[in-house]
Amino acid sequence: MKGDIGVIGLAVMGQNLILNMNDHGFKVVAYNRTTSKVDDFLNGAAKGTNIIGAYSLQDLADKLEKPRKIMLMVRAGEVVDKFIDSLLPYLDEGDIIIDGGNSNYPDTTRRTKDLAEKGIRFIGAGVSGGEEGARFGPSIMPGGNPEAWPYVKPILQAISAKTKKASHAVTGWAKTAPATLSKWCTTALSTAICS
């Protein structure tokens, strides 16, 4: 059985999102550039789960159902672009890349446009709530290629925070970068209030 979604990046946020997805019944394929972290994760926090390890980007792609959904939980900026470029040879038309980092919103707009020209659907999805939010229910602000939304909606809504008034904490879909801009604003407000 193949994975529902792949996650690249096994720092605390990536690990916690993967565990959250697993808890909600999704089969997750985990990858990290330093592959020893994959083994550490599988033998540690992910022990006894249905999480699958991948040891190369091709291995990750091969272990995913199509259309592939791959979430990047890596440092914003050039690292995101490098991973996208490295992933492209292993992806097919219609596959989906989700940037879960705090990317600069013009980068999200550029990536959405550039990848659409290559047949890849891109989503910028700010994930807010820190380590605990990632593990038990973040607020998620997705935007980008609207064709990707039906494929990622069940996962993102399932793992997001819930309240008595809202069944999920996923903001409405934005066609382009305003979703990552809203994540920036949320972070700035939180920082200002807490300071």
Side-chain angles (χ1 to χ4, degrees), residues 50-85:
N50 292 319
I51 297 166
I52 303 164
Y55 297 91
S56 69
L57 293 177
Q58 182 173 1
D59 188 30
L60 172 70
D62 290 345
K63 290 179 175 176
L64 291 171
E65 290 284 348
K66 293 181 182 181
R68 297 174 185 94
K69 296 168 286 299
I70 299 174
M71 187 168 196
L72 301 172
M73 293 302 297
V74 299
R75 188 175 65 242
E78 188 178 332
V79 176
V80 174
D81 290 319
K82 286 182 177 180
F83 267 110
I84 290 170
D85 290 342

PDB file of all heavy atoms in Angstrom, residues 50-85:
ATOM      1  N   ASN A  50       2.072   3.729  11.349  1.00  0.00           N
ATOM      2  CA  ASN A  50       2.057   3.292   9.947  1.00  0.00           C
ATOM      3  C   ASN A  50       2.926   4.169   9.059  1.00  0.00           C
ATOM      4  O   ASN A  50       2.819   4.115   7.831  1.00  0.00           O
ATOM      5  CB  ASN A  50       0.620   3.297   9.417  1.00  0.00           C
ATOM      6  CG  ASN A  50      -0.212   2.230  10.078  1.00  0.00           C
ATOM      7  OD1 ASN A  50       0.251   1.117  10.298  1.00  0.00           O
ATOM      8  ND2 ASN A  50      -1.451   2.571  10.422  1.00  0.00           N
ATOM      9  N   ILE A  51       3.765   5.003   9.649  1.00  0.00           N
ATOM     10  CA  ILE A  51       4.615   5.917   8.895  1.00  0.00           C
ATOM     11  C   ILE A  51       5.702   5.123   8.174  1.00  0.00           C
ATOM     12  O   ILE A  51       6.296   4.210   8.730  1.00  0.00           O
ATOM     13  CB  ILE A  51       5.222   6.977   9.842  1.00  0.00           C
ATOM     14  CG1 ILE A  51       4.084   7.823  10.443  1.00  0.00           C
ATOM     15  CG2 ILE A  51       6.234   7.847   9.101  1.00  0.00           C
ATOM     16  CD1 ILE A  51       4.483   8.662  11.632  1.00  0.00           C
ATOM     17  N   ILE A  52       5.925   5.496   6.912  1.00  0.00           N
ATOM     18  CA  ILE A  52       6.887   4.817   6.044  1.00  0.00           C
ATOM     19  C   ILE A  52       8.099   5.727   5.864  1.00  0.00           C
ATOM     20  O   ILE A  52       7.950   6.921   5.627  1.00  0.00           O
ATOM     21  CB  ILE A  52       6.253   4.543   4.660  1.00  0.00           C
ATOM     22  CG1 ILE A  52       4.971   3.728   4.786  1.00  0.00           C
ATOM     23  CG2 ILE A  52       7.245   3.876   3.720  1.00  0.00           C
ATOM     24  CD1 ILE A  52       4.110   3.746   3.530  1.00  0.00           C
ATOM     25  N   GLY A  53       9.286   5.169   5.916  1.00  0.00           N
ATOM     26  CA  GLY A  53      10.494   5.942   5.671  1.00  0.00           C
ATOM     27  C   GLY A  53      10.886   5.910   4.211  1.00  0.00           C
ATOM     28  O   GLY A  53      10.682   4.918   3.520  1.00  0.00           O
ATOM     29  N   ALA A  54      11.474   7.017   3.747  1.00  0.00           N
ATOM     30  CA  ALA A  54      12.045   7.093   2.400  1.00  0.00           C
ATOM     31  C   ALA A  54      13.481   7.575   2.536  1.00  0.00           C
ATOM     32  O   ALA A  54      13.781   8.411   3.389  1.00  0.00           O
ATOM     33  CB  ALA A  54      11.243   8.048   1.527  1.00  0.00           C
ATOM     34  N   TYR A  55      14.357   7.052   1.681  1.00  0.00           N
ATOM     35  CA  TYR A  55      15.781   7.321   1.819  1.00  0.00           C
ATOM     36  C   TYR A  55      16.391   8.061   0.632  1.00  0.00           C
ATOM     37  O   TYR A  55      17.589   8.265   0.581  1.00  0.00           O
ATOM     38  CB  TYR A  55      16.513   6.014   2.123  1.00  0.00           C
ATOM     39  CG  TYR A  55      16.022   5.460   3.450  1.00  0.00           C
ATOM     40  CD1 TYR A  55      14.953   4.570   3.492  1.00  0.00           C
ATOM     41  CD2 TYR A  55      16.586   5.885   4.642  1.00  0.00           C
ATOM     42  CE1 TYR A  55      14.476   4.103   4.711  1.00  0.00           C
ATOM     43  CE2 TYR A  55      16.115   5.421   5.859  1.00  0.00           C
ATOM     44  CZ  TYR A  55      15.056   4.542   5.885  1.00  0.00           C
ATOM     45  OH  TYR A  55      14.575   4.092   7.097  1.00  0.00           O
ATOM     46  N   SER A  56      15.546   8.454  -0.307  1.00  0.00           N
ATOM     47  CA  SER A  56      15.945   9.312  -1.414  1.00  0.00           C
ATOM     48  C   SER A  56      14.665   9.946  -1.946  1.00  0.00           C
ATOM     49  O   SER A  56      13.554   9.496  -1.630  1.00  0.00           O
ATOM     50  CB  SER A  56      16.631   8.512  -2.524  1.00  0.00           C
ATOM     51  OG  SER A  56      15.696   7.668  -3.179  1.00  0.00           O
ATOM     52  N   LEU A  57      14.815  10.991  -2.756  1.00  0.00           N
ATOM     53  CA  LEU A  57      13.619  11.628  -3.321  1.00  0.00           C
ATOM     54  C   LEU A  57      12.903  10.687  -4.283  1.00  0.00           C
ATOM     55  O   LEU A  57      11.671  10.679  -4.339  1.00  0.00           O
ATOM     56  CB  LEU A  57      13.999  12.940  -4.004  1.00  0.00           C
ATOM     57  CG  LEU A  57      14.503  14.038  -3.054  1.00  0.00           C
ATOM     58  CD1 LEU A  57      14.924  15.268  -3.849  1.00  0.00           C
ATOM     59  CD2 LEU A  57      13.455  14.392  -2.011  1.00  0.00           C
ATOM     60  N   GLN A  58      13.650   9.867  -5.005  1.00  0.00           N
ATOM     61  CA  GLN A  58      13.010   8.894  -5.886  1.00  0.00           C
ATOM     62  C   GLN A  58      12.238   7.865  -5.071  1.00  0.00           C
ATOM     63  O   GLN A  58      11.113   7.498  -5.422  1.00  0.00           O
ATOM     64  CB  GLN A  58      14.027   8.195  -6.776  1.00  0.00           C
ATOM     65  CG  GLN A  58      13.357   7.210  -7.727  1.00  0.00           C
ATOM     66  CD  GLN A  58      14.308   6.616  -8.748  1.00  0.00           C
ATOM     67  OE1 GLN A  58      15.491   6.914  -8.766  1.00  0.00           O
ATOM     68  NE2 GLN A  58      13.773   5.773  -9.600  1.00  0.00           N
ATOM     69  N   ASP A  59      12.825   7.406  -3.972  1.00  0.00           N
ATOM     70  CA  ASP A  59      12.161   6.466  -3.071  1.00  0.00           C
ATOM     71  C   ASP A  59      10.863   7.072  -2.536  1.00  0.00           C
ATOM     72  O   ASP A  59       9.819   6.422  -2.509  1.00  0.00           O
ATOM     73  CB  ASP A  59      13.116   6.104  -1.929  1.00  0.00           C
ATOM     74  CG  ASP A  59      12.613   4.993  -1.025  1.00  0.00           C
ATOM     75  OD1 ASP A  59      11.865   4.107  -1.506  1.00  0.00           O
ATOM     76  OD2 ASP A  59      12.998   4.993   0.164  1.00  0.00           O
ATOM     77  N   LEU A  60      10.923   8.342  -2.157  1.00  0.00           N
ATOM     78  CA  LEU A  60       9.733   9.048  -1.678  1.00  0.00           C
ATOM     79  C   LEU A  60       8.656   9.052  -2.756  1.00  0.00           C
ATOM     80  O   LEU A  60       7.509   8.669  -2.507  1.00  0.00           O
ATOM     81  CB  LEU A  60      10.113  10.479  -1.289  1.00  0.00           C
ATOM     82  CG  LEU A  60       8.979  11.444  -0.943  1.00  0.00           C
ATOM     83  CD1 LEU A  60       8.333  11.068   0.377  1.00  0.00           C
ATOM     84  CD2 LEU A  60       9.488  12.872  -0.890  1.00  0.00           C
ATOM     85  N   ALA A  61       9.018   9.465  -3.955  1.00  0.00           N
ATOM     86  CA  ALA A  61       8.047   9.536  -5.052  1.00  0.00           C
ATOM     87  C   ALA A  61       7.466   8.164  -5.381  1.00  0.00           C
ATOM     88  O   ALA A  61       6.259   8.029  -5.623  1.00  0.00           O
ATOM     89  CB  ALA A  61       8.696  10.151  -6.292  1.00  0.00           C
ATOM     90  N   ASP A  62       8.310   7.142  -5.365  1.00  0.00           N
ATOM     91  CA  ASP A  62       7.863   5.786  -5.691  1.00  0.00           C
ATOM     92  C   ASP A  62       6.883   5.229  -4.665  1.00  0.00           C
ATOM     93  O   ASP A  62       6.083   4.350  -4.986  1.00  0.00           O
ATOM     94  CB  ASP A  62       9.052   4.831  -5.808  1.00  0.00           C
ATOM     95  CG  ASP A  62       9.903   5.092  -7.042  1.00  0.00           C
ATOM     96  OD1 ASP A  62       9.439   5.812  -7.953  1.00  0.00           O
ATOM     97  OD2 ASP A  62      11.048   4.585  -7.075  1.00  0.00           O
ATOM     98  N   LYS A  63       6.934   5.726  -3.439  1.00  0.00           N
ATOM     99  CA  LYS A  63       6.099   5.198  -2.353  1.00  0.00           C
ATOM    100  C   LYS A  63       4.772   5.933  -2.201  1.00  0.00           C
ATOM    101  O   LYS A  63       4.006   5.641  -1.284  1.00  0.00           O
ATOM    102  CB  LYS A  63       6.877   5.233  -1.037  1.00  0.00           C
ATOM    103  CG  LYS A  63       8.008   4.204  -1.006  1.00  0.00           C
ATOM    104  CD  LYS A  63       8.786   4.247   0.291  1.00  0.00           C
ATOM    105  CE  LYS A  63       9.824   3.120   0.314  1.00  0.00           C
ATOM    106  NZ  LYS A  63      10.674   3.170   1.526  1.00  0.00           N
ATOM    107  N   LEU A  64       4.471   6.881  -3.098  1.00  0.00           N
ATOM    108  CA  LEU A  64       3.252   7.683  -2.978  1.00  0.00           C
ATOM    109  C   LEU A  64       2.217   7.345  -4.040  1.00  0.00           C
ATOM    110  O   LEU A  64       2.551   7.103  -5.196  1.00  0.00           O
ATOM    111  CB  LEU A  64       3.597   9.176  -3.075  1.00  0.00           C
ATOM    112  CG  LEU A  64       4.384   9.751  -1.903  1.00  0.00           C
ATOM    113  CD1 LEU A  64       4.853  11.159  -2.223  1.00  0.00           C
ATOM    114  CD2 LEU A  64       3.549   9.735  -0.631  1.00  0.00           C
ATOM    115  N   GLU A  65       0.943   7.376  -3.610  1.00  0.00           N
ATOM    116  CA  GLU A  65      -0.185   7.267  -4.541  1.00  0.00           C
ATOM    117  C   GLU A  65      -0.177   8.490  -5.458  1.00  0.00           C
ATOM    118  O   GLU A  65       0.260   9.567  -5.070  1.00  0.00           O
ATOM    119  CB  GLU A  65      -1.515   7.241  -3.773  1.00  0.00           C
ATOM    120  CG  GLU A  65      -1.765   5.979  -2.979  1.00  0.00           C
ATOM    121  CD  GLU A  65      -2.169   4.789  -3.826  1.00  0.00           C
ATOM    122  OE1 GLU A  65      -2.481   4.971  -5.023  1.00  0.00           O
ATOM    123  OE2 GLU A  65      -2.163   3.684  -3.280  1.00  0.00           O
ATOM    124  N   LYS A  66      -0.718   8.314  -6.667  1.00  0.00           N
ATOM    125  CA  LYS A  66      -0.829   9.419  -7.609  1.00  0.00           C
ATOM    126  C   LYS A  66      -2.238  10.004  -7.560  1.00  0.00           C
ATOM    127  O   LYS A  66      -3.179   9.257  -7.367  1.00  0.00           O
ATOM    128  CB  LYS A  66      -0.499   8.933  -9.022  1.00  0.00           C
ATOM    129  CG  LYS A  66       0.955   8.528  -9.157  1.00  0.00           C
ATOM    130  CD  LYS A  66       1.250   8.076 -10.565  1.00  0.00           C
ATOM    131  CE  LYS A  66       2.698   7.625 -10.693  1.00  0.00           C
ATOM    132  NZ  LYS A  66       3.010   7.206 -12.060  1.00  0.00           N
ATOM    133  N   PRO A  67      -2.410  11.288  -7.728  1.00  0.00           N
ATOM    134  CA  PRO A  67      -1.341  12.259  -7.851  1.00  0.00           C
ATOM    135  C   PRO A  67      -0.595  12.383  -6.524  1.00  0.00           C
ATOM    136  O   PRO A  67      -1.204  12.400  -5.454  1.00  0.00           O
ATOM    137  CB  PRO A  67      -2.063  13.560  -8.208  1.00  0.00           C
ATOM    138  CG  PRO A  67      -3.429  13.414  -7.633  1.00  0.00           C
ATOM    139  CD  PRO A  67      -3.743  11.954  -7.717  1.00  0.00           C
ATOM    140  N   ARG A  68       0.719  12.451  -6.625  1.00  0.00           N
ATOM    141  CA  ARG A  68       1.545  12.546  -5.425  1.00  0.00           C
ATOM    142  C   ARG A  68       1.310  13.890  -4.743  1.00  0.00           C
ATOM    143  O   ARG A  68       1.171  14.914  -5.396  1.00  0.00           O
ATOM    144  CB  ARG A  68       3.019  12.433  -5.808  1.00  0.00           C
ATOM    145  CG  ARG A  68       3.388  11.104  -6.415  1.00  0.00           C
ATOM    146  CD  ARG A  68       4.839  11.157  -6.894  1.00  0.00           C
ATOM    147  NE  ARG A  68       5.198   9.936  -7.585  1.00  0.00           N
ATOM    148  CZ  ARG A  68       5.128   9.779  -8.898  1.00  0.00           C
ATOM    149  NH1 ARG A  68       4.685  10.772  -9.671  1.00  0.00           N
ATOM    150  NH2 ARG A  68       5.487   8.635  -9.451  1.00  0.00           N
ATOM    151  N   LYS A  69       1.293  13.843  -3.427  1.00  0.00           N
ATOM    152  CA  LYS A  69       1.196  15.046  -2.612  1.00  0.00           C
ATOM    153  C   LYS A  69       2.427  15.051  -1.717  1.00  0.00           C
ATOM    154  O   LYS A  69       2.602  14.145  -0.906  1.00  0.00           O
ATOM    155  CB  LYS A  69      -0.087  15.028  -1.785  1.00  0.00           C
ATOM    156  CG  LYS A  69      -1.336  15.057  -2.650  1.00  0.00           C
ATOM    157  CD  LYS A  69      -2.605  14.750  -1.879  1.00  0.00           C
ATOM    158  CE  LYS A  69      -2.764  13.301  -1.508  1.00  0.00           C
ATOM    159  NZ  LYS A  69      -2.840  12.348  -2.627  1.00  0.00           N
ATOM    160  N   ILE A  70       3.275  16.060  -1.867  1.00  0.00           N
ATOM    161  CA  ILE A  70       4.517  16.141  -1.100  1.00  0.00           C
ATOM    162  C   ILE A  70       4.566  17.493  -0.405  1.00  0.00           C
ATOM    163  O   ILE A  70       4.494  18.545  -1.052  1.00  0.00           O
ATOM    164  CB  ILE A  70       5.751  15.962  -2.008  1.00  0.00           C
ATOM    165  CG1 ILE A  70       5.703  14.576  -2.677  1.00  0.00           C
ATOM    166  CG2 ILE A  70       7.034  16.135  -1.192  1.00  0.00           C
ATOM    167  CD1 ILE A  70       6.788  14.341  -3.709  1.00  0.00           C
ATOM    168  N   MET A  71       4.678  17.448   0.918  1.00  0.00           N
ATOM    169  CA  MET A  71       4.737  18.663   1.726  1.00  0.00           C
ATOM    170  C   MET A  71       6.167  18.924   2.162  1.00  0.00           C
ATOM    171  O   MET A  71       6.813  18.051   2.738  1.00  0.00           O
ATOM    172  CB  MET A  71       3.819  18.533   2.948  1.00  0.00           C
ATOM    173  CG  MET A  71       3.681  19.790   3.743  1.00  0.00           C
ATOM    174  SD  MET A  71       2.324  19.622   4.926  1.00  0.00           S
ATOM    175  CE  MET A  71       2.050  21.330   5.357  1.00  0.00           C
ATOM    176  N   LEU A  72       6.630  20.126   1.879  1.00  0.00           N
ATOM    177  CA  LEU A  72       7.962  20.545   2.285  1.00  0.00           C
ATOM    178  C   LEU A  72       7.884  21.257   3.631  1.00  0.00           C
ATOM    179  O   LEU A  72       7.200  22.284   3.756  1.00  0.00           O
ATOM    180  CB  LEU A  72       8.566  21.500   1.252  1.00  0.00           C
ATOM    181  CG  LEU A  72       8.721  20.974  -0.163  1.00  0.00           C
ATOM    182  CD1 LEU A  72       9.155  22.093  -1.101  1.00  0.00           C
ATOM    183  CD2 LEU A  72       9.719  19.840  -0.202  1.00  0.00           C
ATOM    184  N   MET A  73       8.563  20.722   4.617  1.00  0.00           N
ATOM    185  CA  MET A  73       8.667  21.363   5.923  1.00  0.00           C
ATOM    186  C   MET A  73      10.140  21.690   6.151  1.00  0.00           C
ATOM    187  O   MET A  73      10.809  21.120   7.015  1.00  0.00           O
ATOM    188  CB  MET A  73       8.104  20.444   7.017  1.00  0.00           C
ATOM    189  CG  MET A  73       6.616  20.230   6.923  1.00  0.00           C
ATOM    190  SD  MET A  73       5.643  21.770   7.012  1.00  0.00           S
ATOM    191  CE  MET A  73       6.044  22.364   8.642  1.00  0.00           C
ATOM    192  N   VAL A  74      10.622  22.606   5.307  1.00  0.00           N
ATOM    193  CA  VAL A  74      12.031  22.999   5.319  1.00  0.00           C
ATOM    194  C   VAL A  74      12.110  24.518   5.443  1.00  0.00           C
ATOM    195  O   VAL A  74      11.107  25.216   5.290  1.00  0.00           O
ATOM    196  CB  VAL A  74      12.768  22.507   4.054  1.00  0.00           C
ATOM    197  CG1 VAL A  74      12.733  20.981   3.972  1.00  0.00           C
ATOM    198  CG2 VAL A  74      12.184  23.121   2.786  1.00  0.00           C
ATOM    199  N   ARG A  75      13.306  25.018   5.702  1.00  0.00           N
ATOM    200  CA  ARG A  75      13.525  26.448   5.861  1.00  0.00           C
ATOM    201  C   ARG A  75      13.087  27.194   4.598  1.00  0.00           C
ATOM    202  O   ARG A  75      13.377  26.775   3.480  1.00  0.00           O
ATOM    203  CB  ARG A  75      15.005  26.696   6.161  1.00  0.00           C
ATOM    204  CG  ARG A  75      15.328  28.113   6.537  1.00  0.00           C
ATOM    205  CD  ARG A  75      16.770  28.308   6.932  1.00  0.00           C
ATOM    206  NE  ARG A  75      17.670  28.067   5.797  1.00  0.00           N
ATOM    207  CZ  ARG A  75      18.587  27.124   5.772  1.00  0.00           C
ATOM    208  NH1 ARG A  75      18.755  26.319   6.794  1.00  0.00           N
ATOM    209  NH2 ARG A  75      19.359  26.963   4.712  1.00  0.00           N
ATOM    210  N   ALA A  76      12.404  28.297   4.792  1.00  0.00           N
ATOM    211  CA  ALA A  76      11.932  29.109   3.668  1.00  0.00           C
ATOM    212  C   ALA A  76      13.094  29.660   2.870  1.00  0.00           C
ATOM    213  O   ALA A  76      14.213  29.781   3.368  1.00  0.00           O
ATOM    214  CB  ALA A  76      11.063  30.258   4.191  1.00  0.00           C
ATOM    215  N   GLY A  77      12.820  29.972   1.609  1.00  0.00           N
ATOM    216  CA  GLY A  77      13.822  30.598   0.753  1.00  0.00           C
ATOM    217  C   GLY A  77      14.421  29.638  -0.245  1.00  0.00           C
ATOM    218  O   GLY A  77      13.724  28.796  -0.821  1.00  0.00           O
ATOM    219  N   GLU A  78      15.718  29.751  -0.427  1.00  0.00           N
ATOM    220  CA  GLU A  78      16.435  28.998  -1.440  1.00  0.00           C
ATOM    221  C   GLU A  78      16.316  27.481  -1.243  1.00  0.00           C
ATOM    222  O   GLU A  78      16.288  26.722  -2.213  1.00  0.00           O
ATOM    223  CB  GLU A  78      17.914  29.413  -1.411  1.00  0.00           C
ATOM    224  CG  GLU A  78      18.737  28.848  -2.524  1.00  0.00           C
ATOM    225  CD  GLU A  78      20.185  29.334  -2.454  1.00  0.00           C
ATOM    226  OE1 GLU A  78      20.433  30.439  -1.940  1.00  0.00           O
ATOM    227  OE2 GLU A  78      21.050  28.582  -2.925  1.00  0.00           O
ATOM    228  N   VAL A  79      16.216  27.041   0.004  1.00  0.00           N
ATOM    229  CA  VAL A  79      16.112  25.598   0.288  1.00  0.00           C
ATOM    230  C   VAL A  79      14.857  25.016  -0.358  1.00  0.00           C
ATOM    231  O   VAL A  79      14.887  23.921  -0.921  1.00  0.00           O
ATOM    232  CB  VAL A  79      16.124  25.335   1.810  1.00  0.00           C
ATOM    233  CG1 VAL A  79      15.912  23.870   2.111  1.00  0.00           C
ATOM    234  CG2 VAL A  79      17.423  25.825   2.434  1.00  0.00           C
ATOM    235  N   VAL A  80      13.754  25.750  -0.307  1.00  0.00           N
ATOM    236  CA  VAL A  80      12.505  25.293  -0.926  1.00  0.00           C
ATOM    237  C   VAL A  80      12.710  25.118  -2.422  1.00  0.00           C
ATOM    238  O   VAL A  80      12.341  24.094  -3.002  1.00  0.00           O
ATOM    239  CB  VAL A  80      11.339  26.263  -0.626  1.00  0.00           C
ATOM    240  CG1 VAL A  80      10.077  25.867  -1.392  1.00  0.00           C
ATOM    241  CG2 VAL A  80      11.062  26.321   0.871  1.00  0.00           C
ATOM    242  N   ASP A  81      13.312  26.108  -3.064  1.00  0.00           N
ATOM    243  CA  ASP A  81      13.551  26.032  -4.509  1.00  0.00           C
ATOM    244  C   ASP A  81      14.458  24.858  -4.868  1.00  0.00           C
ATOM    245  O   ASP A  81      14.227  24.166  -5.858  1.00  0.00           O
ATOM    246  CB  ASP A  81      14.141  27.340  -5.031  1.00  0.00           C
ATOM    247  CG  ASP A  81      13.131  28.479  -5.010  1.00  0.00           C
ATOM    248  OD1 ASP A  81      11.963  28.232  -5.364  1.00  0.00           O
ATOM    249  OD2 ASP A  81      13.510  29.595  -4.636  1.00  0.00           O
ATOM    250  N   LYS A  82      15.484  24.624  -4.061  1.00  0.00           N
ATOM    251  CA  LYS A  82      16.391  23.500  -4.326  1.00  0.00           C
ATOM    252  C   LYS A  82      15.660  22.163  -4.225  1.00  0.00           C
ATOM    253  O   LYS A  82      15.873  21.270  -5.055  1.00  0.00           O
ATOM    254  CB  LYS A  82      17.587  23.542  -3.379  1.00  0.00           C
ATOM    255  CG  LYS A  82      18.589  24.619  -3.732  1.00  0.00           C
ATOM    256  CD  LYS A  82      19.792  24.600  -2.805  1.00  0.00           C
ATOM    257  CE  LYS A  82      20.795  25.652  -3.234  1.00  0.00           C
ATOM    258  NZ  LYS A  82      21.980  25.686  -2.385  1.00  0.00           N
ATOM    259  N   PHE A  83      14.806  22.020  -3.208  1.00  0.00           N
ATOM    260  CA  PHE A  83      14.051  20.769  -3.096  1.00  0.00           C
ATOM    261  C   PHE A  83      13.079  20.605  -4.252  1.00  0.00           C
ATOM    262  O   PHE A  83      12.919  19.505  -4.788  1.00  0.00           O
ATOM    263  CB  PHE A  83      13.314  20.675  -1.753  1.00  0.00           C
ATOM    264  CG  PHE A  83      14.098  19.957  -0.700  1.00  0.00           C
ATOM    265  CD1 PHE A  83      14.618  20.637   0.381  1.00  0.00           C
ATOM    266  CD2 PHE A  83      14.328  18.588  -0.790  1.00  0.00           C
ATOM    267  CE1 PHE A  83      15.363  19.978   1.351  1.00  0.00           C
ATOM    268  CE2 PHE A  83      15.063  17.917   0.174  1.00  0.00           C
ATOM    269  CZ  PHE A  83      15.582  18.626   1.244  1.00  0.00           C
ATOM    270  N   ILE A  84      12.422  21.681  -4.651  1.00  0.00           N
ATOM    271  CA  ILE A  84      11.499  21.593  -5.790  1.00  0.00           C
ATOM    272  C   ILE A  84      12.263  21.135  -7.034  1.00  0.00           C
ATOM    273  O   ILE A  84      11.834  20.212  -7.729  1.00  0.00           O
ATOM    274  CB  ILE A  84      10.783  22.943  -6.027  1.00  0.00           C
ATOM    275  CG1 ILE A  84       9.789  23.204  -4.897  1.00  0.00           C
ATOM    276  CG2 ILE A  84      10.084  22.952  -7.386  1.00  0.00           C
ATOM    277  CD1 ILE A  84       9.201  24.607  -4.901  1.00  0.00           C
ATOM    278  N   ASP A  85      13.389  21.770  -7.311  1.00  0.00           N
ATOM    279  CA  ASP A  85      14.184  21.391  -8.489  1.00  0.00           C
ATOM    280  C   ASP A  85      14.633  19.936  -8.420  1.00  0.00           C
ATOM    281  O   ASP A  85      14.640  19.230  -9.426  1.00  0.00           O
ATOM    282  CB  ASP A  85      15.409  22.303  -8.625  1.00  0.00           C
ATOM    283  CG  ASP A  85      15.044  23.718  -9.032  1.00  0.00           C
ATOM    284  OD1 ASP A  85      13.915  23.932  -9.537  1.00  0.00           O
ATOM    285  OD2 ASP A  85      15.887  24.622  -8.840  1.00  0.00           O
TER     286      ASP A  85
END
